[in-house]
Amino acid sequence: MLEGLLIAVLYGLVVLGGHPFVVALLKGFRISAEEEGLERAGRIIGYLERFIVLTFLLYGQYGAIAFVFTGKSIARFESLKKAEYYLVGTLASFSWAILWGTLARLILG
């Protein structure tokens, strides 16, 4: 039961807590975070990518994380003028999930 509670808290920390981390990191860039397309799509994509990365990490499916990154990169290919902005945001989001997922794997054994 304690392990299940820890995992639930971990998902909340990674999925929801990653957003302020990524936003704070991207504030140093001149490009606006305004999305063309669906309103707040970037935030929802970030939540989902951190959830998926954490899940793959907890199940030891490290190669599958590369597919998430590749899929997101292909989807953003047409907006090359903002490529660095999206890349920094994606790497920050993945790093947040990987950091906490790795700590959880160490704690849980």
Side-chain angles (χ1 to χ4, degrees):
M1 183 167 142
L2 183 60
E3 184 176 306
L5 180 61
L6 176 63
I7 290 174
V9 169
L10 176 66
Y11 271 96
L13 175 70
V14 169
V15 173
L16 301 175
H19 178 71
F21 171 73
V22 174
V23 168
L25 188 67
L26 291 176
K27 280 190 178 183
F29 293 89
R30 289 180 283 185
I31 295 176
S32 169
E34 296 290 321
E35 288 289 328
E36 297 174 9
L38 294 176
E39 186 178 337
R40 296 178 304 207
R43 178 184 293 200
I44 294 168
I45 290 167
Y47 288 160
L48 293 172
E49 77 187 24
R50 287 187 294 276
F51 180 88
I52 292 167
V53 168
L54 178 59
T55 301
F56 285 152
L57 193 82
L58 291 176
Y59 281 98
Q61 300 298 313
Y62 308 114
I65 295 170
F67 285 110
V68 176
F69 184 78
T70 302
K72 188 169 179 192
S73 298
I74 291 169
R76 295 288 193 181
F77 182 73
E78 291 193 18
S79 56
L80 289 177
K81 64 182 179 178
K82 294 183 180 181
E84 293 90 357
Y85 181 82
Y86 292 123
L87 184 59
V88 169
T90 297
L91 291 175
S93 184
F94 275 49
S95 296
W96 181 262
I98 290 169
L99 167 74
W100 290 104
T102 302
L103 288 174
R105 283 188 61 106
L106 290 172
I107 292 169
L108 296 173

